[in-house]
């Protein structure tokens, strides 16, 4: 895995554009629902590296297309989006990790079924995941809702600006793409929402000792899957 170079992010203090850069910040976008969100997430395992959340009607209501977070998605795409996967990332002294540069290429489904172009399959925390045709990934949007402050010492996500426009990037080309792209560190305050085009290349370091960084990552999809396949949902 290619290790991220965080020594000097090469694009600081930019007003990012989602279509052009593949990422943008919505300051305070989740503040209206932050307390409700914290209450709902409190019942899920605390301190785990990445907890995949499914079958939670309270969280589904908070993230619904008609709520404040869904409204953020609607403002940035021509078709309504629905939440199809949620993962709570909690970097802390008991569970910490670094993340090399990569693209997200899998989706979470209710059950396994064979369909042309879908594969290989994996199982993560008991949930079926599959790599779909890349057009499915390109049509998705990923939101990261921040529960804690994220400064340069608290493992901000790094994104390679513009990399979402390159399609499926071969693993052996990722390093070269990162070397050529402007890199942006996604700093945040509690209640901020970062939006990403799902194919964007991203990475992060481990958090500094004594720091905590909780982020709820939610994937939104524009439509249904082929017959026999169904999004996991929230």
């Amino acid at each position: 895995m290619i290790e991220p170079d965080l020594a000097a992010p090469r694009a600081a203090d930019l007003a990012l554009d989602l279509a052009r850069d593949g990422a943008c910040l919505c300051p305070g976008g989740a503040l209206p629902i932050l307390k409700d969100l914290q209450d709902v997430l409190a019942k899920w395992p605390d301190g785990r590296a990445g907890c995949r959340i499914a079958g939670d009607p309270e969280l589904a209501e908070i993230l619904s297309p008609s709520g404040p977070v869904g409204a953020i998605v609607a403002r940035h795409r021509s078709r309504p989006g629905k939440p199809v996967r949620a993962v709570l990332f909690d970097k802390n002294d008991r569970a910490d990790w670094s993340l090399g540069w990569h693209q997200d290429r899998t989706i979470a489904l209710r059950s396994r079924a064979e369909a042309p172009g879908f594969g290989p399959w994996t199982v993560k925390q008991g949930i079926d995941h599959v790599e779909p045709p890349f057009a499915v990934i390109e049509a998705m949007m990923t939101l990261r809702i921040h529960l804690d402050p994220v400064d340069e010492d608290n493992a901000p996500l790094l994104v390679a600006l513009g990399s979402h426009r390159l399609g499926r990037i071969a693993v052996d080309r990722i390093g070269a793409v990162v070397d050529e792209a402007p890199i942006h560190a996604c700093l945040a305050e509690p209640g901020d929402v970062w939006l990403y085009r799902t194919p964007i290349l991203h990475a992060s370091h481990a958090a500094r000792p004594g720091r905590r960084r909780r982020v709820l990552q939610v994937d939104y999809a524009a439509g249904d899957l082929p017959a026999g396949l169904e999004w996991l949902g929230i």
Side-chain angles (χ1 to χ4, degrees):
M1 179 177 288
I2 300 169
E3 290 300 319
D5 177 6
L6 310 189
R10 298 188 292 276
D13 301 323
L14 296 179
L16 300 186
D17 178 82
L18 186 63
R20 179 194 66 211
D21 301 311
C24 69
L25 174 65
C26 180
L31 280 176
I33 51 91
L34 187 58
K35 178 60 167 61
D36 292 338
L37 185 62
Q38 291 170 330
D39 291 344
V40 168
L41 294 177
K43 68 189 175 202
W44 289 89
D46 185 49
R48 277 177 54 173
C51 177
R52 288 163 171 80
I53 298 175
D56 190 322
E58 291 180 289
L59 184 60
E61 182 176 354
I62 291 173
L63 300 175
S64 70
S66 60
V69 177
I72 296 172
V73 178
R75 288 198 299 270
H76 288 86
R77 65 186 311 154
S78 58
R79 293 182 291 172
K82 62 179 181 179
V84 296
R85 174 169 57 181
V87 184
L88 177 62
F89 294 110
D90 186 352
K91 288 191 177 185
N92 58 78
D93 287 344
R94 291 176 293 136
D96 206 353
W97 67 94
S98 62
L99 186 70
W101 288 101
H102 72 287
Q103 284 180 311
D104 289 339
R105 294 179 178 174
T106 63
I107 58 176
L109 303 183
R110 289 190 178 274
S111 61
R112 179 169 178 162
E114 298 305 317
F118 286 77
W121 289 81
T122 56
V123 178
K124 302 175 184 179
Q125 295 181 11
I127 296 171
D128 288 309
H129 287 69
V130 69
E131 186 171 326
F134 203 71
V136 175
I137 301 293
E138 290 177 315
M140 296 172 67
M141 186 181 295
T142 298
L143 275 66
R144 286 170 64 89
I145 305 171
H146 288 268
L147 282 70
D148 299 303
V150 178
D151 55 28
E152 291 183 356
D153 290 331
N154 200 20
L157 196 73
L158 295 183
V159 292
L161 301 182
S163 58
H164 67 297
R165 293 184 273 107
L166 301 178
R168 189 183 188 281
I169 302 170
V171 172
D172 61 3
R173 288 194 59 241
I174 288 177
V177 172
V178 170
D179 287 342
E180 295 295 326
I183 304 302
H184 188 78
C186 299
L187 311 184
E189 295 294 332
D192 285 353
V193 178
W194 272 96
L195 290 78
Y196 307 93
R197 295 296 186 185
T198 301
I200 197 167
L201 287 173
H202 56 283
S204 72
H205 267 331
R208 293 288 180 88
R211 303 294 303 274
R212 191 178 193 187
R213 194 215 69 179
R214 291 170 298 165
V215 176
L216 180 66
Q217 181 170 300
V218 187
D219 291 336
Y220 281 79
D224 295 328
L225 295 169
L229 300 176
E230 186 177 356
W231 296 105
L232 176 66
I234 307 300

